[in-house]
Amino acid sequence: MAFPDRIERSVELKSPPEQVWAALTTSEGLSSWLGERATIDLRPGGAAQMTVRSGLTVDMRVERVEEPVVFGFTWRLPDLADDDPRRTYVEFTLEAAGSGTRLRVVETGFAQLPDGFRRKAYESHAEGWVSKLDALAGHFDAA
């Protein structure tokens, strides 16, 4: 059996797509649920950066912007060398669901990673998306 290359998660949020879009694509929004601090240049090829609680900073690149339906970026995995070109690709798809939003996140690119690192990265991100989507839902519940 081949190693899985794809993580897919979905969540139903009580907020409308416009609010979810802002949480995904603005520095303030990303800082409220994905990391402690974030910056983003929201255009294909734009740079983004996120700093998490541990102080680790992750470099990202905006790849796809189809407001307010699809947002995608690649990010450098911190355990790889700074000059390693391999990245995973994360794509969010938003769909109106009644007065709320059905949000799907898909992350791909794990199969290209080095053997000794692949499983750790995949498992960490699979668990991470569960907790981060819970944090996003909590962000809207608190609002």
Side-chain angles (χ1 to χ4, degrees):
M1 180 175 158
F3 189 84
D5 188 50
R6 176 184 185 95
I7 297 168
E8 185 170 345
R9 300 284 185 263
S10 294
V11 63
E12 301 281 333
L13 300 168
K14 296 176 184 177
S15 297
E18 298 78 25
Q19 290 178 0
V20 176
W21 181 260
L24 299 175
T25 61
T26 66
S27 296
E28 180 182 88
L30 288 168
S31 297
S32 71
W33 69 276
L34 188 59
E36 290 293 301
R37 286 186 316 274
T39 60
I40 186 168
D41 177 4
L42 188 62
R43 61 181 176 82
Q49 194 174 68
M50 177 185 59
T51 303
V52 296
R53 283 191 183 112
S54 68
L56 174 73
T57 298
V58 179
D59 293 318
M60 301 153 41
R61 177 187 152 114
V62 175
E63 301 291 344
R64 188 171 175 195
V65 179
E66 295 177 22
E67 186 175 351
V69 180
V70 180
F71 169 59
F73 63 85
T74 54
W75 54 6
R76 188 184 71 75
L77 300 175
D79 290 340
L80 296 177
D82 288 346
D83 63 348
D84 192 311
R86 291 174 283 196
R87 307 285 188 267
T88 59
Y89 175 70
V90 177
E91 186 170 276
F92 295 96
T93 305
L94 293 76
E95 177 184 346
S99 61
T101 305
R102 181 174 299 110
L103 176 67
R104 182 174 61 115
V105 60
V106 175
E107 184 173 7
T108 59
F110 295 95
Q112 69 174 324
L113 300 177
D115 290 341
F117 175 65
R118 184 180 307 138
R119 180 170 306 283
K120 176 184 170 191
Y122 181 86
E123 290 173 356
S124 170
H125 286 228
E127 291 173 13
W129 284 119
V130 171
S131 67
K132 290 303 181 182
L133 291 178
D134 283 349
L136 179 60
H139 163 75
F140 289 117
D141 288 346

